[in-house]
Amino acid sequence: MTETRKLTIAAVADLHVKEDDDSSYKEMFAEISRLADVLVIAGDLTDLGKPKEAERLAADLQSCSIPVIAVLGNHDHESGMVDEVSSVLIAAGVKLLNGQPAEIDGVAFVGVKGFAGGFGRHMLGSFGEAAIKAMVAESVDESMRLENAMRHVRSQRAMVVLHYAPVIDTVEGEPREIYPFLGSSRLAETIDRFPVKAVVHGHAHRGTYQGKTPGGAPVYNVAAHVEKPTGKPYALLEL
């Protein structure tokens, strides 16, 4: 039987590319291309969700010679121009996931943005004002979108790509008062219904690099600001 080739995945989040910032990710993307087979960006590619920010990122991505997979984050929604931002990124070759899988060399990447809602017994319930119910409904919808995508996965190796955290482990380090806004256990409940090799997310800039779901799936907070074993803004994972 032929041994399955492992895939090296570089994962990063929260690049927050700004329209008026002269800094560049070209060198980082070129370096990643030498070290990894796939680049995953787990949300907040732009700072204010403006097409010009996406264009700056697209220009930097020209130095990336490997496939790029991404999900959008909350910052990418800020200006209400998600379609325009998405079009720029897709035109630059980014495989933008929002409730569907993409397979590369035997590894399925399944991505949704996720949403807030809290963790464990402190998770927000659908009770009271319409605004609270709408917030919970959004959280449930994102989890259902993830579940529907996972049902289409046929590969034995799957990575889930989120922006919001599915577990409390990887948001530790942030102020406890904002935990409910950093993710939701509903995502972990969905993940644990399927065989998942790894989960990556961002959003919690001051969080913790590694955790796991109640079912044991490894979870990695790959926000650029979080310290990683590579000593770089990105993590390197093998699947």
Side-chain angles (χ1 to χ4, degrees), residues 142-161:
E142 286 292 301
S143 297
M144 288 301 299
R145 188 176 287 111
L146 176 59
E147 179 165 345
N148 290 336
M150 288 300 305
R151 292 189 185 282
H152 290 90
V153 171
R154 297 293 175 260
S155 173
Q156 297 299 308
R157 295 178 291 165
M159 169 179 277
V160 171
V161 184

Side-chain angles (χ1 to χ4, degrees), residues 143-144 147 150-151 186-196 213 215:
S143 297
M144 288 301 299
E147 179 165 345
M150 288 300 305
R151 292 189 185 282
R186 289 185 176 90
L187 295 164
E189 290 169 4
T190 297
I191 289 164
D192 281 342
R193 286 197 281 272
F194 300 92
V196 172
T213 66

Side-chain angles (χ1 to χ4, degrees), residues 97-228:
L97 301 182
N98 185 23
Q100 73 271 32
E103 187 169 319
I104 298 176
D105 289 347
V107 174
F109 297 85
V110 185
V112 299
K113 174 175 61 65
F115 197 59
F119 302 96
R121 63 189 181 90
H122 301 295
M123 192 163 51
L124 188 64
S126 185
F127 182 86
E129 299 96 321
I132 294 294
K133 292 176 180 177
M135 184 175 179
V136 173
E138 180 73 13
S139 185
V140 171
D141 285 349
E142 286 292 301
S143 297
M144 288 301 299
R145 188 176 287 111
L146 176 59
E147 179 165 345
N148 290 336
M150 288 300 305
R151 292 189 185 282
H152 290 90
V153 171
R154 297 293 175 260
S155 173
Q156 297 299 308
R157 295 178 291 165
M159 169 179 277
V160 171
V161 184
L162 306 167
H163 182 59
Y164 285 83
V167 294
I168 200 168
D169 303 19
T170 49
V171 305
E172 289 181 357
E174 294 279 3
R176 295 191 69 85
E177 292 82 358
I178 69 169
Y179 278 18
F181 304 104
L182 297 176
S184 170
S185 290
R186 289 185 176 90
L187 295 164
E189 290 169 4
T190 297
I191 289 164
D192 281 342
R193 286 197 281 272
F194 300 92
V196 172
K197 295 292 186 184
V199 183
V200 294
H201 73 86
H203 195 43
H205 294 194
R206 290 180 285 181
T208 301
Y209 173 61
Q210 191 168 357
K212 62 181 179 179
T213 66
V219 179
Y220 302 94
N221 179 354
V222 296
H225 317 71
V226 170
E227 185 176 349
K228 304 172 184 68

Side-chain angles (χ1 to χ4, degrees), residues 74-114:
N74 59 310
H75 277 248
D76 302 310
H77 284 254
E78 167 62 19
S79 295
M81 304 181 78
V82 169
D83 290 345
E84 293 88 338
V85 167
S86 298
S87 293
V88 171
L89 295 172
I90 291 168
V94 177
K95 180 67 176 177
L96 204 57
L97 301 182
N98 185 23
Q100 73 271 32
E103 187 169 319
I104 298 176
D105 289 347
V107 174
F109 297 85
V110 185
V112 299
K113 174 175 61 65

Side-chain angles (χ1 to χ4, degrees), residues 45-56:
L45 294 84
T46 64
D47 194 51
L48 295 174
K50 295 181 177 181
K52 286 193 177 297
E53 295 173 337
E55 289 168 7
R56 288 186 67 98

Side-chain angles (χ1 to χ4, degrees), residues 32-55:
I32 284 172
S33 298
R34 296 191 295 270
L35 299 174
D37 302 300
V38 180
L39 168 61
V40 168
I41 309 177
D44 282 1
L45 294 84
T46 64
D47 194 51
L48 295 174
K50 295 181 177 181
K52 286 193 177 297
E53 295 173 337
E55 289 168 7

